[in-house]
């Protein structure tokens, strides 16, 4: 059991002494980023605090049903308003990331703000840009950590339907519904508590996993059929999608979520990558099973990071050049595949 009281004392003090609290999640927020941010929001609101929320860019469509998502200000949509929110905050709490570049365009404004800053996160190697860094990499999700912190600060378990739903979303999305990630028996105890609050787990599962458009399903079929390259010699497979591919299938944000996991279902494949062509760069996602450290690979070659088995990064070049560079990096890393897959 991790001793959290050293954090919660400080966090409680910061919350008590702050008038305007701003909660921020990472760019391209996933279920855990939004889930942990919203859960903390519901807790603070119940304590009568003045709280605002911000995300660097748009939310994925399949998360927008969650209670409070309509209150999240999107930096790239309302830059001026968001800059004012950052300026006015005396406490900024950040969720599910530990590197300032994950703030996207909000990075410089957050870094130069006079507010006291807290990071609540479960990624490895925090790069300190906050006054208080609450980092517990052994937890499966930031949502799990928020549950523990709030329970400790609140004295008893905090019960609120929206809060429980948001944490549940964070936990299931960061573990692929308990398929991967560092979940433990402790995670299941938390999940049991959340379910006991009466949350409708089937409704949530359907909103997260059975809520796709037919275009999205067709895009998945196309990606596997026409855009997946399997390289058994490297125990690796990758999928690439061009801007035109996405356009053809009427892509909306979130449609490619989960694609990177699919090649790992192939026997003998231990490392998977997804390349998505953006306007000025290529977004990469990495997944592995076993010991191959995708986060080290992402950090070394693609200015990225994340967890051992799930990470991401980016590269500013054409799609073809990025794929070529990836293949070169793979070859350079060959020894790791022998030893660590
Ligand atoms: P995804 O592939 O789902 O976008 O991201 C998987 C994991 O990698 C998440 O934990 C996410 O926080 C991390 N990640 C994704 N992209 C980046 C990136 O560009 N930089 C860093 N540092 N982490 C990333
Ligand atoms: Mn997370």
């Amino acid at each position: 059991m991790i001793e959290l009281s050293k954090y919660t004392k400080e966090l409680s003090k910061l919350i008590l002494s702050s008038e305007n609290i701003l909660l921020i999640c990472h760019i391209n927020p996933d279920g855990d980023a939004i889930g942990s941010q919203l859960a903390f929001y519901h807790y603070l609101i119940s304590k009568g605090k003045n709280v605002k929320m911000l995300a660097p860019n748009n939310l994925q469509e399949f998360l927008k049903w969650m209670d409070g998502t309509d209150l999240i200000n999107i930096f790239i949509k309302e830059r001026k308003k968001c800059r004012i929110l950052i300026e006015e905050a005396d406490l900024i709490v950040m969720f599910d990331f530990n590197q300032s570049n994950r703030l996207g365009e909000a990075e410089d404004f957050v870094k130069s703000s006079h507010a006291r800053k807290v990071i609540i996160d479960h990624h490895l190697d925090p790069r300190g840009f906050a006054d208080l860094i609450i980092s517990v990499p052994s937890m499966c999700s930031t949502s799990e950590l928020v549950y523990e912190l709030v329970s400790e600060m609140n004295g008893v378990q905090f019960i609120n339907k929206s809060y429980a739903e948001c944490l549940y979303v964070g936990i299931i999305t960061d573990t692929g519904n308990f398929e991967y990630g560092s979940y433990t028996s402790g995670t299941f105890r938390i999940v049991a508590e959340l379910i006991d609050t009466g949350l409708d787990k089937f409704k949530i599962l359907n909103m997260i996993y059975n809520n796709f458009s037919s275009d999205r399903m067709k895009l998945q079929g196309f990606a596997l059929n026409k855009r997946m390259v399997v390289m058994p010699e490297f125990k690796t497979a990758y999928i690439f999608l061009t801007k035109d591919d996405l356009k053809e299938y009427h892509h909306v944000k979130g449609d490619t979520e989960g694609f990177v996991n699919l090649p790992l279902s192939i026997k003998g494949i231990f490392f998977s990558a997804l390349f998505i062509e953006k306007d000025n760069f290529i977004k990469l996602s990495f997944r592995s099973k076993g010991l191959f450290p995708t986060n080290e690979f992402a950090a070394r070659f693609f200015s990225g990071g994340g967890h051992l088995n799930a990470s991401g990064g980016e590269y500013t070049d054409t799609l073809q050049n990025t794929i070529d560079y990836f293949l070169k990096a793979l070859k350079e890393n060959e020894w790791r595949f022998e030893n660590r897959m």
Side-chain angles (χ1 to χ4, degrees):
M1 187 67 200
I2 292 140
E3 188 50 68
L4 292 175
S5 58
K6 62 178 184 227
Y7 296 128
T8 48
K9 276 192 199 125
E10 180 73 21
L11 184 58
S12 296
K13 255 194 261 165
L14 286 169
I15 291 170
L16 262 177
S17 61
S18 300
E19 294 296 327
N20 295 311
I21 304 178
L22 179 62
L23 311 181
I24 310 184
C25 63
H26 61 70
I27 195 164
N28 301 322
D30 55 10
D32 187 33
I34 296 292
S36 55
Q37 177 184 32
L38 285 175
F40 209 72
Y41 173 84
H42 291 302
Y43 170 66
L44 292 179
I45 288 293
S46 81
K47 299 288 165 202
K49 301 302 297 188
N50 181 22
V51 193
K52 296 284 190 308
M53 290 183 286
L54 188 158
N57 64 348
N58 296 321
L59 272 48
Q60 311 188 79
E61 290 298 323
F62 69 89
L63 297 175
K64 287 188 178 168
W65 59 273
M66 292 165 71
D67 185 17
T69 44
D70 53 329
L71 300 173
I72 300 177
N73 298 280
I74 308 294
F75 193 93
I76 60 164
K77 270 204 216 155
E78 293 184 287
R79 290 183 173 82
K80 194 162 171 220
K81 182 179 176 197
C82 289
R83 287 211 309 263
I84 292 171
L85 289 178
I86 296 169
E87 267 164 36
E88 285 178 349
D90 49 9
L91 176 64
I92 294 178
V93 188
M94 293 166 276
F95 295 86
D96 201 37
F97 66 102
N98 63 20
Q99 294 177 15
S100 60
N101 64 357
R102 305 278 289 148
L103 286 160
E105 283 186 30
E107 179 177 9
D108 290 343
F109 302 103
V110 171
K111 277 166 84 176
S112 61
S113 109
H114 68 276
R116 288 161 304 172
K117 300 178 192 83
V118 177
I119 287 173
I120 301 180
D121 181 49
H122 70 134
H123 292 86
L124 294 166
D125 306 325
R127 315 249 170 96
F129 62 101
D131 305 286
L132 174 63
I133 299 178
I134 307 177
S135 166
V136 185
S138 63
M139 288 202 180
C140 76
S141 55
T142 300
S143 296
E144 180 173 356
L145 179 54
V146 163
Y147 175 92
E148 297 287 12
L149 293 170
V150 167
S151 299
E152 176 111 9
M153 287 194 293
N154 200 44
V156 289
Q157 190 207 16
F158 174 67
I159 297 179
N160 169 308
K161 185 166 172 275
S162 302
Y163 168 83
E165 276 191 353
C166 293
L167 292 181
Y168 191 74
V169 168
I171 291 172
I172 64 170
T173 53
D174 253 26
T175 61
N177 207 20
F178 308 108
E179 193 180 321
Y180 47 74
S182 56
Y183 63 86
T184 61
S185 58
T187 314
F188 285 112
R189 278 183 207 101
I190 292 170
V191 168
E193 298 279 354
L194 296 178
I195 288 175
D196 280 347
T197 66
L199 67 74
D200 186 343
K201 63 179 189 305
F202 293 117
K203 179 195 93 175
I204 296 174
L205 282 174
N206 282 330
M207 294 307 258
I208 299 290
Y209 294 111
N210 302 322
N211 202 8
F212 297 128
S213 65
S214 58
D215 277 331
R216 188 270 182 198
M217 295 306 287
K218 289 177 188 165
L219 176 64
Q220 177 173 321
F222 170 80
L224 291 175
N225 206 13
K226 301 285 184 201
R227 296 287 189 246
M228 181 171 73
V229 179
V230 182
M231 298 185 298
E233 67 277 26
F234 291 114
K235 300 183 169 71
T236 296
Y238 66 87
I239 293 173
F240 62 95
L241 289 167
T242 67
K243 275 196 281 188
D244 286 345
D245 294 340
L246 298 176
K247 210 163 140 200
E248 193 179 332
Y249 288 91
H250 309 109
H251 167 270
V252 295
K253 205 165 170 66
D255 275 356
T256 57
E257 185 77 19
F259 284 12
V260 64
N261 293 301
L262 299 171
L264 291 182
S265 305
I266 302 169
K267 188 175 176 182
I269 296 301
F270 289 82
F271 182 37
S272 164
L274 174 69
F275 299 74
I276 306 273
E277 187 181 30
K278 301 277 184 185
D279 279 338
N280 301 312
F281 68 99
I282 309 298
K283 179 71 202 160
L284 292 111
S285 281
F286 302 110
R287 297 291 186 273
S288 70
K289 47 192 196 206
L291 295 176
F292 182 72
T294 67
N295 50 352
E296 281 177 31
F297 186 85
R300 179 152 163 215
F301 298 106
F302 294 102
S303 324
H307 310 278
L308 185 89
N309 295 125
S311 64
E314 49 188 67
Y315 198 63
T316 309
D317 207 329
T318 62
L319 183 57
Q320 190 54 54
N321 286 348
T322 306
I323 292 174
D324 290 345
Y325 174 70
F326 169 76
L327 296 175
K328 205 165 144 254
L330 261 189
K331 286 171 191 157
E332 203 176 294
N333 251 328
E334 217 165 344
W335 61 271
R336 289 173 182 274
F337 291 85
E338 292 311 312
N339 299 333
R340 302 178 77 167
M341 277 190 176

